[in-house]
Amino acid sequence: MSAHLRRRGRHQAPRRQVFSLPPAGTLAPAALGVTLTAGLLGAPPGADSSLFAPTSAITATAPYTPLGLPERIEGFAPYVPQSRCDPTAKPGVLAFRSLVLRTYPDTGSDGIVRACNIGGVSEHKEGRAWDWEVFATNRRNVAEVRALLGWLLATDDEGHRAAMARRLGVMYMIWNRRIWTADQASAGWRPYHKAEAHTEHVHFSFSWAGALKKTSFWRATGIGAISATDLRRYRHTVISYGERGPAVRVIQRALGVRPVNSRYGPKTRVAVLRFQRAHHLRADGVIGPKTWSKFRPAAPPRVPGRPGHPRSQATPARKPFSAILAQHSNRVLRIGAHGPAVAALERVIRVPTDGVYRPATARAVSRWQRHYHLASDGVVGKQTWRALIYRTQRVEAKQRAVAAARARARVHARAVAKAHARYVRIARYEATVLRAGAAGLPVRFLQQRLRMRPDGNFGPRTYAAVVAFQRRHHLPVDGVVGRRTWRALT
């Protein structure tokens, strides 16, 4: 048993269970994402089959497939070995690592780059390979590997085999004594006979296009975001195949469908089905309230500042909600009203926010008016707006006070921790007496406390600084650093 496994507590003997594979050729291409050929489900020849226990009780989700992927997909990446030494992590590899670790936060990274003088030829030395830290003896890790590799090697809706691996520029992958290479994709997972078994990480190597983040995966146009106004306007609209109209146009823009023609055709249906599957909805192609609810409101555009001004590079300051209420205070709201003013009102009185003034909204307004001793008519006029703004300003003032108090507490805690660390260091040297001619670490620390350039030698400059310090703190002026001087240095 290796020391590495003992450190990680992997030495417990798992239950011996054999998980056999169906005969080669019996799996349809679409089933590849579910049963990743032999690499994950069956033990390779000569391996301990107990390490490949079934993981049916543990499930893991696949990464999110971006919306609006380009129609054109890359071919299978040919094998291009390392030809130079450039151990800097490439942007595509960094982005893929972030995608995987964000999806599976309980896993880790075994690194991207490798020094030029370690081992033989390796894409790690060009920064276009990554080792994902997972363990073949950990049932959850095996389920996560199964989900990720299934996503990479699954056939997409257009019939492209290993679609995500091709779009990411994956050149080959090694896991648990098995290897999958893009140039021999039809052979599936094959036995890997080299010394490194890859039971503690999955190795990913990328083509140069994938490593430089120039593949189609990173050029997806759809983000599944629409404006808050459109979301309120169409969230109760049901759209099915063959329909036309502005709501279809909104969907096409959100999902990156080209061309944007306001017609629900085959391309739009494929994008909708992919979106529904990604959000674990019933994939029927019908856009109803549940599908609308999965779209997120687009973030407001960033306000450009003056060139070179700090605001030009930062997110604009958030507007107080009381100021937003004040913008709408000239409107009278009653049943039938709709728009941003109603949405702002609903947030304050804490009812479901849909931007429509319904009878339920009027009843909630009446209750709010009674609570604050206003005329309980369910109509939002000047007095009600004034009370809403006043109450919101008080809440915001309290929130600002709490935030300021927490900030002061953090600053105080840091100062206390810093002072304590300084006291601990001074206590270490308290029994040490320093005078002219001394040298070493205590002298360097003394010079740092006296705000001098530390050189570790108690010379004339240090002596003069000690004398000045003792004079300022009303200590015996002898140029000797003893217990009283050390304590004053805290």
Side-chain angles (χ1 to χ4, degrees):
M1 179 194 315
S2 69
H4 182 75
L5 292 181
R6 284 196 300 271
R7 286 197 303 272
R8 292 184 175 271
R10 308 293 182 188
H11 56 280
Q12 296 89 347
R15 292 176 296 180
R16 299 187 61 85
Q17 293 175 300
V18 179
F19 197 95
S20 59
L21 281 172
T26 60
L27 293 179
L32 190 57
V34 180
T35 55
L36 280 179
T37 62
L40 295 178
L41 303 183
D48 182 0
S49 60
S50 64
L51 299 182
F52 295 83
T55 58
S56 57
I58 302 176
T59 59
T61 58
Y64 179 69
T65 301
L67 303 168
L69 288 167
E71 289 186 20
R72 186 172 181 180
I73 186 172
E74 292 79 3
F76 288 96
Y79 174 60
V80 179
Q82 174 213 351
S83 59
R84 60 184 179 182
C85 191
D86 177 23
T88 56
K90 301 302 182 285
V93 184
L94 289 170
F96 179 74
R97 181 185 67 180
S98 298
L99 171 71
V100 174
L101 296 183
R102 190 166 57 247
T103 308
Y104 310 109
D106 60 315
T107 62
S109 171
D110 264 352
I112 294 176
V113 299
R114 183 180 298 167
C116 300
N117 59 350
I118 297 178
V121 174
S122 172
E123 291 78 35
H124 283 293
K125 298 180 181 180
E126 292 177 328
R128 56 189 182 100
W130 176 53
D131 289 340
W132 178 31
E133 186 184 47
V134 284
F135 298 89
T137 53
N138 184 303
R139 292 168 63 85
R140 175 163 292 283
N141 283 174
V142 171
E144 290 165 336
V145 172
R146 183 194 301 267
L148 176 63
L149 300 189
W151 176 73
L152 288 170
L153 299 180
T155 301
D156 66 11
D157 295 329
E158 287 78 29
H160 302 127
R161 294 185 299 119
M164 292 302 110
R166 291 160 63 179
R167 289 190 183 277
L168 285 161
V170 176
M171 196 164 61
Y172 64 87
M173 302 178 286
I174 310 174
W175 161 245
N176 205 5
R177 302 181 180 88
R178 293 275 173 157
I179 183 171
W180 179 91
T181 58
D183 58 355
Q184 300 182 48
S186 59
W189 289 86
R190 310 190 310 277
Y192 183 74
H193 299 299
K194 293 189 178 180
E196 174 59 62
H198 292 78
T199 57
E200 297 180 352
H201 67 266
V202 181
H203 174 91
F204 298 94
S205 278
F206 295 85
S207 65
W208 275 108
L212 296 177
K213 205 177 179 181
K214 293 183 177 180
T215 53
S216 61
F217 183 89
W218 308 111
R219 296 199 301 270
T221 57
I223 58 173
I226 62 178
S227 70
T229 303
D230 286 336
L231 187 58
R232 288 193 297 268
R233 181 180 302 162
Y234 299 118
R235 63 183 301 172
H236 298 293
T237 305
V238 178
I239 307 171
S240 54
Y241 186 80
E243 295 189 16
R244 297 174 179 265
V248 179
R249 190 177 188 86
V250 168
I251 291 293
Q252 289 175 328
R253 284 178 174 171
L255 300 183
V257 179
R258 298 292 183 271
V260 180
N261 55 13
S262 303
R263 179 180 175 276
Y264 195 143
K267 289 185 179 180
T268 307
R269 178 178 170 78
V270 168
V272 170
L273 291 173
R274 184 181 294 127
F275 180 81
Q276 290 174 327
R277 292 192 193 100
H279 290 84
H280 310 290
L281 300 171
R282 180 183 176 186
D284 55 5
V286 177
I287 305 167
K290 288 186 178 180
T291 303
W292 281 110
S293 68
K294 295 301 180 181
F295 287 94
R296 51 188 175 87
R302 297 174 65 178
V303 178
R306 297 191 303 273
H309 193 271
R311 282 288 296 277
S312 63
Q313 301 297 327
T315 304
R318 187 176 180 181
K319 195 173 186 178
F321 193 69
S322 57
I324 297 175
L325 291 174
Q327 290 178 348
H328 304 298
S329 59
N330 58 343
R331 287 193 59 186
V332 176
L333 302 181
R334 50 174 53 90
I335 294 176
H338 59 85
V342 179
L345 166 70
E346 290 170 329
R347 284 185 57 183
V348 177
I349 63 176
R350 297 184 179 182
V351 298
T353 304
D354 61 1
V356 180
Y357 202 113
R358 306 178 188 279
T361 311
R363 289 192 294 272
V365 169
S366 296
R367 289 194 298 271
W368 195 91
Q369 290 170 328
R370 283 195 301 273
H371 182 76
Y372 291 104
H373 310 291
L374 299 171
S376 178
D377 56 3
V379 177
V380 182
K382 286 186 178 181
Q383 288 188 344
T384 304
W385 277 119
R386 193 178 298 118
L388 287 166
I389 294 169
Y390 173 71
R391 297 296 172 184
T392 304
Q393 287 173 339
R394 291 194 60 180
V395 170
E396 290 172 342
K398 183 178 180 180
Q399 290 173 342
R400 287 193 298 268
V402 170
R406 288 176 177 172
R408 289 194 298 271
R410 286 194 295 269
V411 171
H412 177 71
R414 286 195 293 267
V416 169
K418 188 175 180 180
H420 178 71
R422 186 167 60 243
Y423 173 79
V424 169
R425 290 194 65 183
I426 289 177
R428 185 186 310 164
Y429 299 122
E430 201 173 65
T432 304
V433 178
L434 300 179
R435 50 175 52 88
L441 288 176
V443 178
R444 288 180 64 87
F445 180 65
L446 168 68
Q447 292 169 330
Q448 290 173 354
R449 295 300 304 140
L450 294 174
R451 300 181 184 277
M452 299 176 57
R453 181 179 178 182
D455 59 7
N457 296 312
F458 200 129
R461 289 178 57 253
T462 306
Y463 178 84
V466 170
V467 168
F469 179 83
Q470 290 173 330
R471 188 174 290 116
R472 285 196 308 272
H473 290 80
H474 309 290
L475 300 169
V477 182
D478 54 5
V480 177
V481 181
R483 187 179 299 273
R484 292 182 63 185
T485 305
W486 280 117
R487 290 181 177 176
L489 284 166
T490 56

